Amino acid sequence: MDQAELSTEQVLKRDIPWETYMTTKLISATGLQLLRRYDKKSESARAQLLDEDGPAYVHLFVTILRDIFKEETVEYVLALIYEMLSANPTRARLFHDESLAHEDTYEPFLRLLSKGNWFIQEKSCKILAWIISARSKAGNGVIANGEASASKKPITTIDDVLSGLVEWLCAQLRQPSHPTRGAPVAISCLSTLLKEPVVRSSFVKAGGVKLLVPLISPASTQQSIQLLYETCLCIWLLSYYEPAIEYLATSRTMQRLTEVVKSSTKEKVVRVVIMTFRNLLPKGTFGAQMVDLGLPHIIHSLKTQAWSDEDLLDALNQLEEGLKDNIKKLSSFDKYKQEVLLGHLDWNPMHKEANFWRENVTSFEENDFQILRVLLTILDTSSDPRSLAVACYDLSQFIQYHAAGRVIVTDLKAKERVMKLMNHENAEVTKNALLCIQRLLLGAKYASFLQA
């Protein structure tokens, strides 16, 4: 059978010749006795043994992984540990018991990440993630609770473990060992591990943040939704860490998160993205980015939906208020740009203020005349007469105040679009479409004589 497709249940059906290992002195008589009491027994019986003698079983399992290299046996012991921890993750604390102070409980799992087949790699990764998350936060730098000085061999430090594990996780995101399970397993482990500040630091130093960004995209199947959720959870955890925030600001993270929140109906996905936005809003240029991406309109739309999660509703309200405050601080052109990007235009004072156009007309050149292009899109797609009228008027203002306005608007093929609106049923639209065409045909020299 392909080792990548092995399940824990299949592995645990094997019969392992423990007596032979005792005969060859690879396990002790005490170890054999512990195994006979534990192996192939009911879940309740195993749970009782772990409650009574948990550290002894951890010591036994780690010793077997350290001393025995036969693949079937290694897989079997990893399956036993995985089963033990998945049934009750708090059992990971047993690996930090004082009685194991001089045991290097991490070394076998770290070694197996790079040496084993996929089943071995996957189980070692998940077990390591559980054990790291359960460790004492004393911060003494030594991951096995131990006094390394008393040991002949240096005990694996937190730095060794995190460096090795984060390196493996990043490798799975770059070039997975398993084509369909490599990335999901790595993301699942990261969504647990990134709760640890020390892991965030290692992950950012390893260049891991950029590996998450491609995975942020709208999802449809159950598996891809879970992967998307855990990826967004990683981004949320990183949004608490300043060096990661710097990268998030300069990548396409915000655009991708916005696409996800616009299209996702899964409450937990929407919640974690909104909470990420809330964290990032006060930082650097994120507020302006959110306004540019039309987030105020998206938030307004999300608030009309029937969410059951109180945290999500609170986050939506806080984000909405925060964005309103952000818009208040924007320059007049930023406010104008926000209005255009949202696609809903109204007769705000700036549209008719001569000073606004004199001071900001060159800003329309930004991003290859992005705002002019959006105005033309509004002419093509909007069914709102007020938006159509204001868009025509703004084009006529640009023609009047920009030295090359007539040429630029002509090159953007605006004339044909505006001409269509001269027969519009709404008088306000036809009046402003006519003004725009007059200014386009007459040019800036005579345009100032035409007033709306």
Side-chain angles (χ1 to χ4, degrees), residues 254 257-258 260-263 270-278 281 287 290-291 293-307 312-324 327 338 342:
M254 296 303 292
L257 288 173
T258 303
V260 165
V261 88
K262 271 164 63 176
S263 61
V270 174
R271 181 184 67 238
V272 76
V273 174
I274 293 298
M275 290 171 76
T276 303
F277 285 153
R278 185 181 63 182
L281 182 63
M290 290 180 200
V291 170
L293 289 165
L295 210 57
H297 183 62
I298 295 166
I299 299 300
H300 179 73
S301 173
L302 286 171
K303 284 186 70 178
T304 64
Q305 297 179 41
W307 306 109
L312 172 55
L313 296 170
D314 288 346
L316 282 168
N317 287 328
Q318 289 170 23
L319 191 55
E320 184 178 51
E321 289 308 308
L323 286 167
K324 281 178 184 171
I327 290 168
Q338 164 63 10
L342 286 174

Side-chain angles (χ1 to χ4, degrees), residues 241-251 286:
Y241 184 59
E242 218 52 55
I245 290 171
E246 289 170 21
Y247 182 81
L248 296 177
T250 55
S251 64
F286 282 105

Side-chain angles (χ1 to χ4, degrees), residues 129-148:
W130 271 318
I131 301 172
I132 290 170
S133 296
R135 83 184 199 285
S136 162
K137 304 301 185 287
N140 58 8
V142 177
I143 204 158
N145 333 330
E147 299 147 20

Side-chain angles (χ1 to χ4, degrees), residues 104-293:
D104 197 344
T105 50
Y106 285 77
E107 185 279 330
F109 305 106
L110 198 54
R111 170 172 46 82
L112 291 169
L113 277 180
S114 56
K115 298 277 169 60
N117 59 44
W118 174 250
F119 180 89
I120 290 172
Q121 288 183 44
E122 179 185 15
K123 294 297 178 277
S124 297
C125 167
K126 289 184 174 179
I127 291 165
L128 268 178
W130 271 318
I131 301 172
I132 290 170
S133 296
R135 83 184 199 285
S136 162
K137 304 301 185 287
N140 58 8
V142 177
I143 204 158
N145 333 330
E147 299 147 20
S149 57
S151 177
K152 291 176 186 172
K153 220 168 108 180
I155 285 184
T156 310
T157 66
I158 181 70
D159 290 340
D160 295 332
V161 173
L162 292 178
S163 172
L165 181 55
V166 167
E167 186 182 322
W168 185 85
L169 292 168
C170 289
Q172 295 308 307
L173 296 177
R174 286 191 187 96
Q175 199 170 356
S177 302
H178 188 281
T180 58
R181 283 162 53 186
V185 165
I187 292 293
S188 181
C189 286
L190 282 166
S191 68
T192 300
L193 288 168
L194 285 170
K195 293 169 186 171
E196 307 272 335
V198 68
V199 179
R200 293 173 197 166
S201 172
S202 299
F203 187 65
V204 170
K205 283 176 188 165
V209 184
K210 67 183 176 188
L211 302 174
L212 297 176
V213 179
L215 298 173
I216 307 169
S217 59
S220 52
T221 67
Q222 195 57 46
Q223 284 174 313
S224 61
I225 287 169
Q226 186 61 21
L227 177 60
L228 173 62
Y229 168 67
E230 289 177 340
T231 304
C232 292
L233 189 57
C234 291
I235 297 290
W236 173 65
L237 290 166
L238 289 166
S239 73
Y240 289 95
Y241 184 59
E242 218 52 55
I245 290 171
E246 289 170 21
Y247 182 81
L248 296 177
T250 55
S251 64
R252 285 189 52 79
T253 307
M254 296 303 292
Q255 290 91 325
R256 285 177 169 269
L257 288 173
T258 303
E259 285 306 309
V260 165
V261 88
K262 271 164 63 176
S263 61
S264 183
T265 54
K266 202 73 178 171
E267 194 160 8
K268 67 179 184 178
V269 174
V270 174
R271 181 184 67 238
V272 76
V273 174
I274 293 298
M275 290 171 76
T276 303
F277 285 153
R278 185 181 63 182
N279 275 3
L280 295 174
L281 182 63
K283 313 273 187 184
T285 61
F286 282 105
Q289 277 192 55
M290 290 180 200
V291 170
D292 281 353
L293 289 165

